[in-house]
Amino acid sequence: MPRHPSSSNLSLDRRELLRGALGAGLGAGLSAGLSAGLGALPAGAAEPGAVSLKSNPFTLGVASGDPAADGFVLWTRLAPEPLKARGGMSAQPVEVTIEIADDPEMAKIVRTTTETARLELAHSIHAEIEGLAPGRDYFYRFRAGDAESPVGRARTLPAPGDALAQIRFAAAGCQRWEDGYYTAWRAIADDKLDFVFHYGDYIYEYGHTDVFGYDKRPAPRTMPADFPACYTLTDYRRRYALYKTDADLQAAHASCPFLPSFDDHEVANNWAADHAPGNTPAEAFLFRRAMALQAWYEHMPVRRAQIPHGPDVRAYRGFRYGSLLDVAVLDTRQYRSRQPCGDGFLAGCTEADIESRTMLGAAQEQWLAARLAQAPATWQVLAQQVLFAQFDWRGFPFVKETAVPIIDVDTWNGATAGRERVTAMLQAAKIANPVVLTGDLHRALALELRRDWRDPASPCIGVEFLSTSISSVGDGPATDADRATMLRNNPHLKFFSDKRGYTRHVVTPKQWQADFRAVDSTATPGQPVRTAQTLLVEAGRPGLISQ
Ligand SMILES: [Fe+2]
């Protein structure tokens, strides 16, 4: 499918376009047609940043997301100059046409609709399409003026209760742009999946730097020097725009629907509810959070239900894939307790075990309990952000040796009572096959979940697959010299890798297959992507089987 239209005669902002047309010395017929109804234009050169006649407004690609059985969200954003403050657009609203077809060639159009792109939302489009058939592919594109977007593939959810033979999807995230190329996103596009769960860290808020990683290596890609740390709406919008100019990321979005969520770096490192590191007062941080989450909404294929209200976004929600799979997308940032003991990888933090501590907050816990109480699917996914399983980090390179376990209190290990409440919910609802999906750590892990982490003999009740990063922290070693220590300290850990990539899940009524996909190197584009390890779970028998 074409990645960009080759040229376009745009009617994005008709006054600016007309100026561009006149400046380019184009034919009087075009100018006369465009000026009809505009009245007399003031004399003078085009305004700074005006859209030129040849500008492609679809520089950020297209996306589908948040599917329903009869439709999905279709997203794009008009940004002919994507790194500029307004994306190269004026305040003029622009009508955008959306075409939906049965075929990738767009020969059999089944629906045409229009939406208006406005500067208030960065000229983004979130078209909620309804009335389509369940469980099938559709193809779509956008038109603005005479410009035509690339074609994307979307897919509706199956009809409720449908018995599916198989679902294939990816879990991915942590894509710091400077740290490496998005080869993993190209591989995800090539997989032609049913959906992608994005666990977060779609952007990183940090300012321009030439180095990256713990050992300060030269960055494979360098952000422009005028990209400071994100604090304002313009900062966050420009950051999303930079990331979304990547052709591999655009290909992944065009390939299938995404279920977006967010973690910390969409706002600020390790934020928790109204608290940000650095002891910024809550009333100030919440303005930053509001701007960050507005930019998140503007750049994600999510529904009107996810429009921010001030600093608040309803990001937890569910998706049902017939009787095979239920996906509860969770939000572990907005409602959590502040990290205990000052945050970090810590030994002996008893504050982590206080009964009132939570990762979801009371309302989301109630929502999850109600969802689990519905007729269960064969597999129940908790699609979320931070490590759920108990984990001792002794043995990891930057963690000091101690006599007692070292825990990362930014994870569920910093709110053990909240973890126990979720575990109790799974037990009460008799969920036979829970699968927790996670990101955050920039390593790939597969773990078995225990009913009671205080009892080493406690039975396995489900599994957790933690996806490594798409690019963040760059290449890791193929084998980790300290892995043996971590495996010894964490008998429920069944796989650990320090490579970049993603996890591909192939789900059937009898078996869950997790392929840990690893990129040879993210330092240069186009490197091979391989399956480093495959792990299986048999339905009804919680536990991991290595292939
Ligand atoms: Fe990350």
Side-chain angles (χ1 to χ4, degrees):
M1 60 187 70
R3 195 158 299 138
H4 298 298
S6 55
S7 67
S8 49
N9 294 330
L10 308 177
S11 48
L12 299 171
D13 176 321
R14 292 199 290 171
R15 176 178 293 181
E16 290 175 349
L17 175 59
L18 180 55
R19 287 172 174 165
L22 294 171
L26 294 184
L30 172 63
S31 299
L34 286 168
S35 63
L38 281 179
L41 285 170
E47 296 165 4
V51 177
S52 73
L53 190 66
K54 297 293 184 187
S55 287
N56 162 32
F58 298 111
T59 58
L60 305 180
V62 301
S64 68
D66 276 28
D70 72 337
F72 31 67
V73 178
L74 298 179
W75 175 94
T76 194
R77 181 188 159 201
L78 306 181
E81 296 171 286
L83 303 191
K84 288 199 168 176
R86 296 182 172 188
M89 299 293 287
S90 73
Q92 179 90 21
V94 178
E95 189 173 90
V96 176
T97 301
I98 301 140
E99 295 174 325
I100 300 168
D102 276 339
D103 58 314
E105 293 76 29
M106 302 298 291
K108 286 179 267 179
I109 304 283
V110 297
R111 180 78 59 84
T112 302
T113 184
T114 59
E115 297 270 338
T116 302
R118 298 180 188 278
L119 181 58
E120 287 85 345
L121 289 174
H123 288 93
S124 61
I125 294 285
H126 298 76
E128 296 190 21
I129 308 299
E130 299 175 339
L132 303 177
R136 51 155 295 184
D137 287 352
Y138 288 93
F139 300 86
Y140 62 93
R141 71 183 167 204
F142 300 86
R143 292 183 189 278
D146 294 333
E148 187 178 288
S149 80
V151 174
R153 167 184 170 262
R155 187 170 175 80
T156 49
L157 291 183
D162 260 14
L164 304 179
Q166 180 176 279
I167 285 282
R168 297 168 67 251
F169 74 96
C174 286
Q175 52 192 58
R176 192 171 179 188
W177 186 86
E178 312 95 289
D179 287 8
Y181 289 89
Y182 288 169
T183 312
W185 279 126
R186 176 64 61 176
I188 287 171
D190 292 343
D191 283 341
K192 295 187 169 46
L193 300 164
D194 290 294
F195 69 93
V196 169
F197 165 58
H198 198 295
Y199 65 73
D201 286 3
Y202 195 102
I203 59 161
Y204 283 71
E205 82 284 11
Y206 299 127
H208 163 87
T209 176
D210 295 328
V211 296
F212 79 115
Y214 304 114
D215 49 358
K216 303 294 182 197
R217 284 166 276 171
R221 303 198 272 196
T222 307
M223 278 199 303
D226 64 339
F227 272 58
C230 296
Y231 280 83
T232 69
L233 181 55
T234 297
D235 295 339
Y236 285 108
R237 282 174 170 170
R238 293 180 75 220
R239 194 61 53 94
Y240 278 99
L242 173 69
Y243 282 45
K244 278 181 163 286
T245 54
D246 185 280
D248 293 332
L249 178 57
Q250 290 187 17
H253 275 294
S255 74
C256 71
F258 273 45
L259 315 182
S261 68
F262 52 78
D263 195 12
D264 55 334
H265 287 288
E266 281 84 354
V267 181
N269 182 48
N270 280 18
W271 66 282
D274 62 359
H275 172 75
N279 292 318
T280 305
E283 61 267 29
F285 172 64
L286 288 174
F287 279 109
R288 185 183 185 189
R289 189 177 115 180
M291 291 184 281
L293 294 179
Q294 178 177 338
W296 174 83
Y297 169 77
E298 289 170 348
H299 292 85
M300 293 297 133
V302 292
R303 294 179 179 271
R304 283 184 288 275
Q306 279 70 55
I307 290 176
H309 298 275
D312 301 320
V313 173
R314 170 67 182 258
Y316 61 86
R317 60 210 193 277
F319 301 90
R320 183 82 175 204
Y321 290 82
S323 60
L324 180 61
L325 186 68
D326 186 77
V327 182
V329 175
L330 303 182
D331 174 348
T332 57
R333 284 287 161 197
Q334 283 191 91
Y335 318 105
R336 64 154 69 187
S337 307
R338 181 175 170 177
Q339 292 90 345
C341 306
D343 202 4
F345 288 69
L346 307 173
C349 175
T350 54
E351 190 189 329
D353 302 325
I354 293 173
E355 179 64 28
S356 60
R357 294 190 55 77
T358 181
M359 293 295 279
L360 303 180
Q364 188 177 188
E365 284 187 7
Q366 287 169 16
W367 171 85
L368 179 59
R371 188 165 188 92
L372 296 179
Q374 296 172 4
T378 303
W379 302 94
Q380 177 64 55
V381 172
L382 304 184
Q384 50 98 58
Q385 291 77 39
V386 289
L387 184 68
F388 188 79
Q390 179 172 288
F391 201 79
D392 177 3
W393 282 94
R394 282 179 296 173
F396 199 67
F398 64 87
V399 172
K400 62 186 180 207
E401 260 312 314
T402 60
V404 294
I406 299 282
I407 63 166
D408 173 6
V409 297
D410 184 53
T411 71
W412 290 82
N413 289 280
T416 57
R419 179 169 61 198
E420 285 171 20
R421 286 193 295 275
V422 171
T423 303
M425 281 179 212
L426 294 168
Q427 296 284 292
K430 297 186 166 48
I431 302 297
N433 301 297
V435 177
V436 178
L437 302 180
T438 307
D440 180 48
L441 293 172
H442 308 162
R443 307 292 187 283
L445 287 79
L447 308 114
E448 293 179 339
L449 301 176
R450 303 287 168 202
R451 181 186 295 168
D452 180 359
W453 291 105
R454 288 160 298 207
D455 175 8
S458 181
C460 173
I461 57 146
V463 298
E464 179 170 15
F465 296 114
L466 194 147
S467 296
T468 188
S469 62
I470 292 282
S471 58
S472 301
V473 304
D475 295 335
T479 58
D480 195 304
D482 302 299
R483 186 164 48 181
T485 307
M486 283 189 288
L487 288 167
R488 189 169 61 248
N489 289 334
N490 299 282
H492 55 291
L493 174 65
K494 303 302 176 187
F495 175 70
F496 182 96
S497 166
D498 200 0
K499 300 290 282 184
R500 309 284 69 80
Y502 64 102
T503 315
R504 183 177 61 204
H505 300 284
V506 182
V507 187
T508 70
K510 292 198 174 342
Q511 173 183 284
W512 186 294
Q513 174 182 326
D515 299 324
F516 284 89
R517 305 275 286 158
V519 186
D520 277 8
S521 171
T522 55
T524 54
Q527 295 301 302
V529 182
R530 308 169 199 277
T531 298
Q533 176 81 44
T534 291
L535 289 119
L536 303 178
V537 185
E538 293 177 8
R541 299 182 61 183
L544 291 165
I545 305 165
S546 296
Q547 285 290 287

